[in-house]
């Protein structure tokens, strides 16, 4: 298909061939680049905390004291849907905490469906510049949950706002969205992704 | 050449496949096979243009359905689900089926003629890239008849609308975009290979007509971004059918990633649709102002600058997804920077007109309307570039007004200007002057009636992509719909002019327009099937 017009001189024929191969190389490169952007974007968001993405693994408590001079409001929003008949409740919609102070909040998972199912709560933090300063010491969002039909389970979230939280941030909103996990394949995939998150 | 047929080492199968090499193979297939097997750049150019015109009318009918539904508030004609399919298909067909193939068709016809080449560098590949298009768009249009309907998620097909919530026909939509994308890529390779290797002896890069220059840069843009589009739709395909989670938050993916990838393709794509238009207008204005183009070199550099900047502005389509402040500022300033090279171009066109002896033949009318109306679209683009203002304008009819001003009286008018300009070269006849004038004036009035009120309804808060709207927008929409019907109907005049011009009319000489200087005007009108078989010697015009 890349044979140039046989009428052309040998010189321009080899020129055409060279141009074509360079173009094809550029094409393949750009196609690969599009796929490379997926992990690059993930890493970029983890590093900068853009898009409200938070670390998917447990972080240690920081013992550098509590900033008593500041109070920050932390709000919790829970959403369910996507075909999962679960309800995610939280004991309080809003807490006021000092940066540096570890806080525990109880969440309730409630399977209202008639079958046992696997689910996963995916977190998102807003505003996004706060996402790197919200440290989760223990969270149900690190793992998938399995609830039997009608089962109700209370799982706490332990978090801490780091002391270097930007001073213009007075409210941090933490959103949990419940998603179904379909079969073991999907769950394995989610596990590997969270492991990758740990490395980054 | 034909006198020495004996030692030509032509492969055996080529004698049927390469029907365009007429002097070596006098038994050219006739009828349908002639068009199916042609490798002649002029015939393929004609095929592209006819295909594009057909798609222009199909996409136009979809637009008429949309405007008829929006004629008054409430739901009258179609259901919301079908309305969404109409807006989506209108956008997809016009972008990928009408505007892009029209420019490729013009390039096929004119690039070899303007650089003194005998044909495109890869004639058989050229045939293949054209015939992919009818396949792609038959497939795309057939989704409208499938259970669940065709694509209904807007031409930008944002995930998860186009993955989790998409109709079952989406896989066919993805396939058709793949095929159309391959066609564009092959066309781009062919154009680059032709321009870089087949110029007439003595023609340097900086001697090339601007249409050739703008197409060269467009072809590089195509090679850079069409693979990204292919990558995005492949990821969608895998999300839908193979259980991956590129854009699915449940599996660790990110829907916002889709928008980044899409607009990394999408913003250069909008320049792909306008740069060749700049080239056409830069050929027409000097001809009918009877002056040399002012600032040739700055035109070339401005085109290249726009192309490079187009890779740095994609997130201005996404100001409301929650970008950090630094990113909003970066994309806002980069976007505004594009106004500088674009301003250079508009300045050069106006300076070319200054003290020219201007005449107002149909190509010139369309080119002048292009300069004025494209600039209006450019200014509303600058308004949208202001991030805080965009929070208000985002996804309103103001955006619809903006991109229709740059695409309809921008790209489409430039294509029509080019068709009127080169029709004497293609057919040997001048287009019917009176009818063409009617076509122009009705189009200008129709376009402005349609799209100018959209600025106001958008600023007043009317959202895009809705089949019904609040009562206060009723008057603006009534005017828009009437304008759209006028514009749509007047395009039938365009078909009439083209058909009449093919069949007869006033004879055109080789140099059909008084001051037309480029190489294409040195071959007879109509241009014979084979031109420049011995390369012309290019003479640099004296300054």
């Amino acid at each position: 298909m890349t044979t140039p017009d046989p009428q052309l001189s040998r010189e321009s024929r080899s020129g055409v061939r060279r141009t074509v191969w360079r173009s094809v190389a550029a094409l393949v490169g750009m196609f690969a680049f599009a796929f490379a952007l997926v992990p690059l974007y993930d890493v970029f968001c983890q590093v900068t905390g853009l898009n409200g993405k938070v670390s998917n693994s447990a972080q240690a408590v920081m013992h550098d004291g509590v900033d008593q001079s500041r109070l920050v409001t932390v709000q919790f929003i829970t959403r369910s849907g996507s075909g999962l008949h679960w309800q995610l409740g939280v004991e309080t919609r809003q807490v006021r905490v000092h940066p540096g102070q570890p806080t525990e909040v109880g969440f309730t998972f409630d399977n209202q469906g008639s079958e046992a199912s696997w689910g996963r709560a995916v977190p998102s933090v807003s505003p996004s510049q706060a996402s790197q300063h919200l440290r989760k010491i223990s969270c149900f969002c690190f793992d998938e949950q399995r609830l039997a039909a009608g089962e109700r389970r209370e799982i706490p979230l332990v978090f801490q706002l780091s002391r270097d939280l930007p001073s213009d941030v007075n409210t941090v909103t933490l959103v949990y969205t419940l998603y179904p996990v379909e079969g073991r394949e999907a769950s394995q995939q989610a596990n590997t992704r969270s492991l990758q998150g740990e490395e980054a | 050449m034909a006198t020495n047929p004996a030692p030509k080492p032509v492969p055996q199968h080529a004698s049927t496949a390469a029907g365009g090499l007429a002097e070596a193979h006098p038994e050219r297939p006739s009828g349908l096979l002639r068009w199916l097997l042609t490798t002649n750049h002029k015939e393929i150019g004609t095929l592209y243009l006819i295909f594009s015109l057909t798609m222009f009318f199909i996409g136009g009918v979809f637009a008429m359905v949309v405007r008829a539904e929006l004629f008054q508030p409430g739901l009258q004609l179609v259901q919301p689900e079908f309305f969404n399919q109409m807006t989506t298909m209108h956008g997809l067909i016009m972008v990928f089926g009408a505007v892009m193939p029209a420019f490729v068709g013009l390039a096929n016809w004119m690039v070899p003629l303007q650089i003194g080449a005998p044909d495109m560098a890869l004639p058989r590949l050229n045939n293949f890239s054209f015939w992919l298009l009818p396949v792609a768009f038959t497939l795309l249009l057939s989704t409208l008849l499938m259970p669940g309907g065709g694509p209904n998620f807007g031409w930008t097909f944002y995930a998860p609308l186009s993955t989790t919530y998409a109709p079952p026909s989406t896989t066919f939509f993805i396939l058709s975009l793949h095929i159309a994308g391959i066609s564009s890529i092959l066309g781009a390779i062919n154009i680059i290979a032709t321009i870089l290797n087949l110029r007439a002896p003595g023609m340097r890069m900086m001697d090339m007509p601007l249409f050739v220059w703008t197409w060269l840069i467009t072809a590089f843009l195509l090679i850079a971004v069409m693979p990204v589009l292919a990558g995005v739709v492949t990821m969608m395909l895998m999300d839908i059918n193979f259980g991956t989670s590129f854009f699915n938050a449940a599996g660790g993916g990110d829907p916002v990633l889709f928008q980044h990838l899409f607009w990394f393709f999408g913003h250069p794509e909008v320049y792909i649709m306008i740069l060749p238009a700049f080239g056409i207008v830069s050929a027409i204005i000097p001809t009918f102002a009877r002056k040399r183009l002012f600032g040739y070199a700055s035109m070339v550099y401005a085109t290249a600058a726009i192309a490079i900047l187009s890779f740095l502005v994609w997130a201005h389509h996404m100001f409301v997804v929650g970008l950090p402040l630094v990113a909003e500022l970066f994309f806002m300033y980069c976007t505004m920077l594009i106004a500088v090279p674009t301003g250079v171009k508009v300045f050069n066109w106006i300076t070319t007109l200054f003290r020219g002896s201007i005449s107002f033949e149909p190509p010139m009318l369309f080119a002048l309307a292009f300069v004025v109306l494209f600039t209006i679209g450019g200014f509303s683009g600058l308004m949208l570039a202001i991030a805080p203002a965009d929070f208000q304008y985002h996804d309103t009819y103001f955006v619809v007004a903006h991109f229709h001003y740059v695409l309809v009286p921008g790209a489409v008018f430039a294509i029509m200007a080019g068709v009127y300009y080169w029709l004497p070269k293609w057919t040997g006849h001048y287009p019917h002057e009176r009818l063409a004038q009617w076509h122009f004036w009705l189009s200008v009035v129709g376009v402005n009636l349609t799209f100018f009120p959209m600025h106001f309804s958008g600023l007043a808060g009317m959202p895009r992509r809705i089949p019904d709207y609040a009562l206060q927008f009723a008057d603006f929409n009534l005017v828009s719909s009437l304008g759209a019907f006028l514009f749509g109907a007047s395009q039938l005049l365009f078909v009439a002019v083209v058909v009449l011009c093919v069949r007869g009319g006033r004879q055109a000489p080789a140099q059909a327009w008084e001051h037309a200087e480029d190489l294409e005007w040195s071959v007879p009108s109509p241009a014979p099937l084979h031109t420049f078989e011995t390369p012309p010697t290019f003479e640099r015009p004296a300054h």
Side-chain angles (χ1 to χ4, degrees), chain A residues 53 56 79 82 120-124 177-180 190 193, chain B residues 159-160 163-164 239 244-256:
Chain A
K53 285 198 175 180
N56 247 353
R79 297 190 300 191
S82 304
R120 175 184 172 83
V122 175
S124 171
T177 312
L178 280 178
Y179 287 105
R193 287 198 76 93
Chain B
T163 51
T164 314
D239 269 11
T244 58
S245 300
F246 285 103
F247 307 128
N248 187 359
D254 192 335
V256 177

Side-chain angles (χ1 to χ4, degrees), chain A residues 7 15 19 30 50-51 179 193, chain B residues 23 185 197 224 227 250-251 254 324:
Chain A
Q7 287 178 327
T19 313
M30 286 308 290
L50 290 185
N51 256 6
Y179 287 105
R193 287 198 76 93
Chain B
E23 75 280 5
I185 287 170
N197 298 295
D254 192 335

Side-chain angles (χ1 to χ4, degrees), chain A residues 13-184:
Chain A
R13 223 183 302 176
S14 70
V16 167
R17 203 161 282 147
R18 197 167 51 237
T19 313
V20 169
W21 284 119
R22 284 180 187 169
S23 309
V24 170
L27 282 173
V28 174
M30 286 308 290
F31 190 71
F33 176 67
F35 280 87
L37 279 174
V38 177
L40 283 177
Y41 176 80
D42 241 28
V43 171
F44 185 77
C45 287
Q46 293 280 358
V47 171
T48 58
L50 290 185
N51 256 6
K53 285 198 175 180
V54 282
S55 175
N56 247 353
S57 51
Q59 286 160 298
V61 190
M62 285 171 79
H63 297 285
D64 51 356
V66 175
D67 184 356
Q68 298 285 357
S69 64
R70 245 181 112 187
L71 268 176
V72 178
T73 307
V74 181
Q75 301 177 324
F76 303 98
I77 297 177
T78 54
R79 297 190 300 191
S80 42
S82 304
L84 190 66
H85 296 289
W86 287 16
Q87 188 89 36
L88 180 56
V90 55
E91 62 176 356
T92 169
R93 285 282 158 199
Q94 177 166 319
V95 288
R96 309 245 316 144
V97 296
H98 297 293
Q101 166 194 348
T103 312
E104 185 176 318
V105 179
F107 282 74
T108 317
F109 285 75
D110 188 4
N111 185 355
Q112 298 171 334
S114 52
E115 291 170 33
S117 48
W118 283 87
R120 175 184 172 83
V122 175
S124 171
V125 174
S126 172
S128 57
Q129 65 258 39
S131 59
Q132 285 191 304
H133 303 280
L134 186 87
R135 304 173 60 82
K136 292 183 184 167
I137 292 124
S138 152
C139 180
F140 45 83
C141 56
F142 302 149
D143 309 297
E144 289 149 9
Q145 266 75 37
R146 186 181 185 280
L147 291 189
E151 186 184 345
R152 207 178 146 84
R153 191 186 301 167
E154 291 211 6
I155 312 177
L157 160 75
V158 184
F159 72 94
Q160 179 188 32
L161 286 172
S162 63
R163 292 194 56 174
D164 53 356
L165 182 75
S167 58
D168 57 329
V169 176
N170 297 311
T171 307
V172 177
T173 309
L174 185 52
V175 183
Y176 283 105
T177 312
L178 280 178
Y179 287 105
V181 178
E182 283 151 14
R184 293 311 300 177

Side-chain angles (χ1 to χ4, degrees), chain B residues 210-288:
Chain B
L210 266 170
F211 180 65
V212 179
W213 253 119
T214 50
W215 239 115
L216 179 66
I217 292 168
T218 303
F220 278 118
L221 284 182
L222 279 168
I223 290 206
V225 299
M226 289 315 270
V228 177
L229 175 72
V232 174
V233 293
T234 307
M235 291 175 206
M236 276 172 60
L237 186 78
M238 298 203 279
D239 269 11
I240 293 172
N241 297 305
F242 306 125
T244 58
S245 300
F246 285 103
F247 307 128
N248 187 359
D254 192 335
V256 177
L257 173 66
F258 176 90
Q259 298 187 25
H260 282 291
L261 288 175
F262 178 82
W263 286 114
F264 186 80
F265 146 79
H267 202 77
E269 165 72 17
V270 305
Y271 292 128
I272 287 165
M273 290 190 285
I274 202 65
L275 293 184
F278 292 161
I280 294 170
V281 171
S282 303
I284 291 173
I285 287 183
T287 300
F288 295 93

